[in-house]
Amino acid sequence: MSERSGGPSRRPSRPQRQHPPARRQGPRRPPEDDPARIAAWDTLKAIRERDAYANLVLPKLLRERRIGGRDAALATELAYGAARAQGLLDEIIAACSDRPLSEIDGPFLDAMRLGAYQLLRTRIPAHAAVASTVDLVRAVHGSGPAGFVNAVLRRVGEQDEQAWVKQLAPEDPVGRLAFTNAHPKWIAQAFADALGDKGDELDAALRADDARPAVHLAARPGEISSEELAAIVGGDVAPYSPYGVHLEPGAGDPGDLEPVRERLAAVQDEGSQLCALALTRAELAGRDERWLDLCAGPGGKAALLAALARLSGATVDAVEKAPHRADLVRKSTTGLDITVHVADGRDSGLPEGGFDRVLVDAPCTGLGALRRRPEARWRRRPDDVADLTKLQRELLTAALKLVRPGGVVAYVVCSPHLRESIGVTSDIVRKGLAEAVDTRDLFPGVPHLGDGPHVQLWPHRHGTDAMFCQVLRRL
């Protein structure tokens, strides 16, 4: 090291200090001692680059990298949380950056989302949130990008989330609640339309939709009771479904639970269980021997129906258009008596009038399950609705041909969007193809079901996904 400059005095007897060893210039890798943030960062990258699903990518990464315990919990919180809050985080990052978001390289934007989420929505100390994120970027991309990320995150950390919301949220009521609860405005408007409210209840619905949900399990009827399942897995018996069990959020991968591995139970939202049960509870005069699940993939409701059918002496057929999803149906119903058909539900080739009960769990926007699909709210577009409602009408019309006169069809979508829910069923009833059954009677013990005849469940009212169900009887 050269002598200190700036003064005439010299101390030759003082030992010279040594330079720290130069940083090794090898292949750049993320810090190996931060597996949780690396996994979360990689998950955000997969969502952005490949339109991947966080709930499929992250568990696979955790298994492959043998990440467990607290690291797995942290990775899950950061990946799912940053994906869920992406729109809100992006608005704040944009306000803190001297570059438009469109000009920021994807990996750096992912890292800033990860860092901003830690700063605004976790208890991680600000210095740790910034430093750990900057270290990731520096290790892979060098000091230049790391400096940019560092500067933006330090500005993000100058205010808390509430202050940023106050500064950036729009003035209109729905837009403001959408921004506050990290939802696109068009989705918040769809919720407002279904609730008939733009104030406190809409806020409660969006807030519940923005929270990490509990894991719901369904005990297989005839194999294990919900009480037995709850005792084995350490969960709580569900309030409404006789087969449901709730686990706390972050309770680990439910696929590792022994009853799930042994197919005594399955992961299934309680709302989905209730909709499948509603089909089986509808009164029926005459024959009750053949049931059909017309849109069966990936098989959760088909498995519950098949287990119930076995107890009542009925048989179940399942139709699924996509071969790989039909395989999932077969896997989900292993050990049950069910016939799986690979066909389009609109033209299945099955006999008209051949079934007594038919479930139409139609493809939909999934706006009712956004809390379980962290990235979905930012991927869906309003334009998706029109094509889906056309398909939903066609499937419901086909179902009414397959059920016998007097038989029942349960139309189910995981969406509260009015065009996907009562817009479809009202059209069918108006055409004289079926009559609406008061479906509230088929959800015994479930409160706050409104004026009927349909049922719309909500996370903030019932703790379930926002499932819609209308049972129809063929005329």
Side-chain angles (χ1 to χ4, degrees):
M1 184 176 181
S2 62
E3 294 176 341
R4 193 171 63 181
S5 61
S9 174
R10 298 289 186 270
R11 295 182 180 177
S13 61
R14 184 175 180 176
Q16 290 185 332
R17 296 174 60 186
Q18 299 296 315
H19 282 293
R23 179 167 295 181
R24 184 172 62 86
Q25 297 298 316
R28 289 169 170 170
R29 295 178 181 174
E32 294 181 355
D33 58 352
D34 199 353
R37 288 182 177 83
I38 295 170
W41 194 22
D42 288 343
T43 301
L44 296 182
K45 178 182 178 183
I47 292 171
R48 176 180 49 77
E49 292 186 343
R50 298 188 277 116
D51 282 342
Y53 298 100
N55 61 352
L56 297 180
V57 171
L58 183 62
K60 184 180 180 192
L61 288 178
L62 297 179
R63 285 195 299 272
E64 290 175 348
R65 300 176 185 180
R66 300 178 183 275
I67 300 172
R70 296 179 63 180
D71 281 335
L74 178 60
T76 303
E77 170 64 28
L78 298 185
Y80 289 4
R84 191 178 292 119
Q86 178 184 309
L88 172 68
L89 299 175
D90 283 359
E91 292 286 345
I92 296 172
I93 290 168
C96 296
S97 173
D98 55 5
R99 304 180 201 169
L101 290 188
S102 59
E103 295 181 9
I104 298 176
D105 288 348
F108 311 150
L109 183 56
D110 293 336
M112 285 188 277
R113 289 166 175 163
L114 193 62
Y117 180 79
Q118 294 174 73
L119 285 166
L120 301 175
R121 289 197 161 189
T122 73
R123 295 181 179 178
I124 296 171
H127 69 276
V130 174
S132 60
T133 307
V134 170
D135 284 347
L136 292 180
V137 177
R138 180 184 293 113
V140 178
H141 299 283
S143 296
F148 171 59
V149 171
N150 180 60
V152 172
L153 289 182
R154 288 190 180 282
R155 290 179 200 137
V156 171
E158 289 174 356
Q159 302 189 91
D160 62 14
E161 181 180 351
Q162 288 71 30
W164 281 116
V165 168
K166 185 177 181 181
Q167 177 179 328
L168 299 174
E171 291 296 326
D172 68 287
V174 174
R176 187 169 190 81
L177 289 177
F179 187 92
T180 302
N181 294 291
H183 281 69
K185 183 180 176 182
W186 76 273
I187 293 178
Q189 185 63 59
F191 281 28
D193 294 342
L195 289 166
D197 183 272
K198 297 181 180 179
D200 291 344
E201 180 151 29
L202 175 59
D203 187 28
L206 294 172
R207 195 176 299 278
D209 205 45
D210 202 30
R212 192 172 173 188
V215 173
H216 294 182
L217 302 178
R220 178 170 285 187
E223 299 282 355
I224 187 173
S225 70
S226 58
E227 291 80 6
E228 291 168 333
L229 178 60
I232 293 172
V233 301
D236 297 316
V237 173
Y240 309 124
S241 168
Y243 307 106
V245 169
H246 291 188
L247 298 175
E248 288 295 321
D253 185 352
D256 292 336
L257 296 171
E258 185 175 349
V260 176
R261 293 201 310 270
E262 294 184 356
R263 305 192 186 287
L264 298 175
V267 179
Q268 188 176 42
D269 182 79
E270 187 179 5
S272 293
Q273 299 173 42
L274 293 172
C275 291
L277 287 169
L279 174 69
T280 69
R281 288 168 171 164
E283 290 187 7
L284 204 60
R287 188 189 72 188
D288 188 9
E289 300 171 349
R290 295 196 66 185
W291 301 358
L292 172 65
D293 185 348
L294 193 59
C295 313
K301 294 184 184 69
L304 182 55
L305 288 176
L308 291 168
R310 183 169 59 183
L311 297 177
S312 68
T315 62
V316 176
D317 288 67
V319 173
E320 172 51 50
K321 180 179 180 181
H324 72 283
R325 286 171 63 85
D327 288 340
L328 293 176
V329 177
R330 295 187 184 95
K331 184 177 179 181
S332 297
T333 57
T334 299
L336 296 168
D337 185 13
I338 186 169
T339 303
V340 180
H341 308 267
V342 181
D344 188 326
R346 293 169 293 183
D347 185 19
S348 64
L350 294 173
E352 293 191 6
F355 296 90
D356 306 303
R357 301 179 189 268
V358 179
L359 174 66
V360 182
D361 184 16
C364 66
T365 56
L367 301 189
L370 296 177
R371 60 186 190 149
R372 299 195 186 279
R373 299 164 187 164
E375 72 292 329
R377 70 188 65 181
W378 308 110
R379 189 172 287 165
R380 277 293 182 192
R381 296 290 179 267
D383 295 346
D384 297 337
V385 177
D387 289 343
L388 285 166
T389 54
K390 179 176 182 294
L391 174 60
Q392 290 156 0
R393 284 187 173 87
E394 292 171 350
L395 286 166
L396 183 51
T397 300
L400 286 165
K401 291 179 180 176
L402 293 170
V403 75
R404 66 172 172 82
V408 291
V409 174
Y411 173 77
V412 177
V413 286
C414 189
S415 171
H417 198 298
L418 294 178
R419 290 177 62 190
E420 296 186 272
S421 56
I422 59 175
V424 172
T425 56
S426 298
D427 189 45
I428 292 292
V429 171
R430 190 165 48 246
K431 291 178 179 176
L433 300 177
E435 65 177 4
V437 174
D438 193 337
T439 305
R440 296 173 298 174
D441 296 338
L442 309 176
F443 286 69
V446 182
H448 310 303
L449 295 180
D451 298 330
H454 64 273
V455 164
Q456 177 63 66
L457 300 173
W458 290 97
H460 68 291
R461 291 181 183 174
H462 308 105
T464 67
D465 290 346
M467 305 291 298
F468 172 88
C469 181
Q470 173 67 71
V471 174
L472 301 165
R473 190 180 306 280
R474 181 180 170 183
L475 297 174

